Amino acid sequence: MKTSISTKAYSPVYHETTRLLDRCLDLINQDSLYEGFSALLIGLRGMYASGDSEVLSEEFQQFCLAHPIYEVLKTEPTVAQSQSKPRGYAGDADLIDYFYRLRGCDMRTSYRDRELHNIAIDNSSGASVRWRAKHLSELFAERKAKKGEKISCLSVASGHIREISYLHNPQEIFERFIALDQDNTSNDEARRSHPHDFLHIIDKSISYIIKDGLKEQEFDFVYSAGLFDYLNEKLAAKLIQKLYANVSEGGILLVPNFAKGILERGYMDIFMDWKLIYRNETQMLELAETAGVPADKIRLYRDPMCNVIYMRMEK
């Protein structure tokens, strides 16, 4: 398919990109939706892996968004939600609910958008989001079993706290669960979804933690499921330092972060305008070292999809 976009003669990157986007659009228009979407993810990942600085530029994103394929992609629900940023930022809890399969397409959504939506949320990173919630629920139960009694928990940037719903008996797991998030709309949904006596939600940003809002409070399990992907090194290390101080003796601080090289990064960056800070294991360890966490208390592992690095810090 010929496009109306003029490629930039001075850069082979733009020629290659136009060929990729043309080919993927052709496949989608031929109703080969899975093939077209997969080719787009794989092609963009290859371009990001090249390390070419042009690919990471704002100009490159705008070039891709000017291609006719964006007219097809922008009405898929996760792209529409992410681009519109109804909460003022990408990656809000309503968007994450799509990946949990707790939020569906509107009845007016077209067949093609529904199919593209199903393909998008079934991809590897979507599976990592669902695995993360299940994994957290398993760690809650593990902590309770090890302690032999109900546990206390602190969740920072807690969103809708869907991981609680993965438990059949949360009232038997938690003595106290403190959740902190700056998004009042997310907090209202969390209160509706989890009307438990043990749950207390604080309508505050992480500056509340940084400024010692929870000083001298201790918890058996402390975590922040989707925050560190947005924090620079200085702030991330400072927050780890503060949160580790909130961990009780024998307790755990868990910090997940999306890893470098995930399949969906280019698509998220360009078409969803959802930009994360990706890290590798060395960079995660550097955060903990800067925060003063003893090296022998740290364990790193990845999820089964190898998309998310988990840093588990014991005390």
Side-chain angles (χ1 to χ4, degrees):
M1 175 182 175
K2 298 286 186 181
T3 75
S4 61
I5 295 177
S6 60
T7 57
K8 301 195 173 192
Y10 61 84
S11 174
V13 169
Y14 288 93
H15 287 286
E16 180 185 351
T17 302
T18 299
R19 288 195 298 269
L20 170 66
L21 300 182
D22 283 351
R23 179 165 57 89
C24 295
L25 180 58
D26 279 344
L27 287 167
I28 290 172
N29 284 337
Q30 293 164 18
D31 224 19
S32 297
L33 303 178
Y34 179 81
E35 292 80 0
F37 191 83
S38 298
L40 180 60
L41 296 188
I42 293 168
L44 289 174
R45 180 171 67 173
M47 299 182 77
Y48 269 65
S50 71
D52 194 314
S53 60
E54 280 188 288
V55 175
L56 300 177
S57 69
E58 175 69 20
E59 185 180 24
F60 181 77
Q61 180 182 9
Q62 294 306 315
F63 180 83
C64 293
L65 293 178
H67 190 279
I69 197 170
Y70 180 56
E71 292 301 309
V72 173
L73 298 174
K74 72 180 185 180
T75 51
E76 184 277 314
T78 63
V79 174
Q81 173 84 14
S82 190
Q83 282 282 4
S84 64
K85 298 178 178 61
R87 307 281 183 83
Y89 59 96
D92 62 60
D94 279 345
L95 175 61
I96 302 303
D97 273 353
Y98 278 123
F99 293 98
Y100 286 143
R101 301 196 183 100
L102 295 174
R103 188 179 180 194
C105 295
D106 187 276
M107 291 292 291
R108 295 165 293 182
T109 304
S110 70
Y111 163 77
R112 184 168 68 182
D113 284 344
R114 288 198 308 272
E115 291 301 300
L116 285 172
H117 177 70
N118 291 334
I119 293 166
I121 65 173
D122 281 342
N123 257 288
S124 180
S125 289
S128 287
V129 169
R130 291 185 291 277
W131 190 88
R132 183 177 64 193
K134 184 174 185 297
H135 182 52
L136 286 167
S137 72
E138 292 168 345
L139 291 175
F140 297 152
E142 173 196 287
R143 288 287 90 198
K144 192 260 184 180
K146 184 171 183 179
K147 186 177 181 182
E149 59 187 35
K150 294 180 182 180
I151 64 170
S152 56
C153 185
L154 170 62
S155 176
V156 178
S158 49
H160 294 163
I161 336 174
R162 298 302 186 194
E163 50 271 21
I164 291 178
S165 300
Y166 280 69
L167 294 166
H168 297 297
N169 55 346
Q171 66 281 353
E172 297 178 16
I173 300 293
F174 302 112
E175 178 66 33
R176 178 172 59 121
F177 193 117
I178 305 297
L180 180 142
D181 200 296
Q182 67 179 358
D183 190 327
N184 292 349
T185 304
S186 288
N187 292 340
D188 289 343
E189 170 62 20
R191 291 183 181 100
R192 285 191 296 269
S193 299
H194 314 293
H196 304 295
D197 291 338
F198 60 74
L199 179 63
H200 176 61
I201 299 176
I202 301 173
D203 300 293
K204 298 284 187 181
S205 71
I206 61 171
S207 63
Y208 183 76
I209 304 287
I210 299 295
K211 295 176 181 177
D212 294 326
L214 293 176
K215 188 177 182 180
E216 298 181 359
Q217 292 198 46
E218 292 189 344
F219 303 86
D220 300 304
F221 188 69
V222 179
Y223 71 98
S224 185
L227 174 63
F228 281 80
D229 311 279
Y230 301 92
L231 302 182
N232 63 37
E233 279 67 24
K234 183 178 179 180
L235 184 53
K238 185 65 174 177
L239 186 58
I240 289 173
Q241 179 188 48
K242 293 291 185 178
L243 293 179
Y244 193 65
N246 289 124
V247 178
S248 61
E249 194 67 28
I252 289 173
L253 168 61
L254 189 74
V255 172
N257 203 117
F258 268 92
K260 291 185 174 182
I262 68 166
L263 175 62
E264 296 85 355
R265 181 188 171 177
Y267 182 79
M268 291 168 61
D269 274 9
I270 294 166
F271 294 108
M272 301 182 77
D273 198 32
W274 187 7
K275 297 177 173 68
L276 304 180
I277 296 174
Y278 300 90
R279 294 185 168 96
N280 57 30
E281 279 80 358
T282 299
Q283 291 169 319
M284 294 293 282
L285 287 172
E286 288 171 351
L287 294 179
E289 179 182 358
T290 303
V293 180
D296 63 345
K297 298 295 185 180
I298 304 168
R299 181 166 73 89
L300 296 177
Y301 58 97
R302 292 201 182 200
D303 65 9
M305 290 64 66
C306 290
N307 291 323
V308 178
I309 300 169
Y310 288 80
M311 185 160 62
R312 175 172 171 149
M313 293 157 277
E314 299 185 358
K315 185 177 277 189

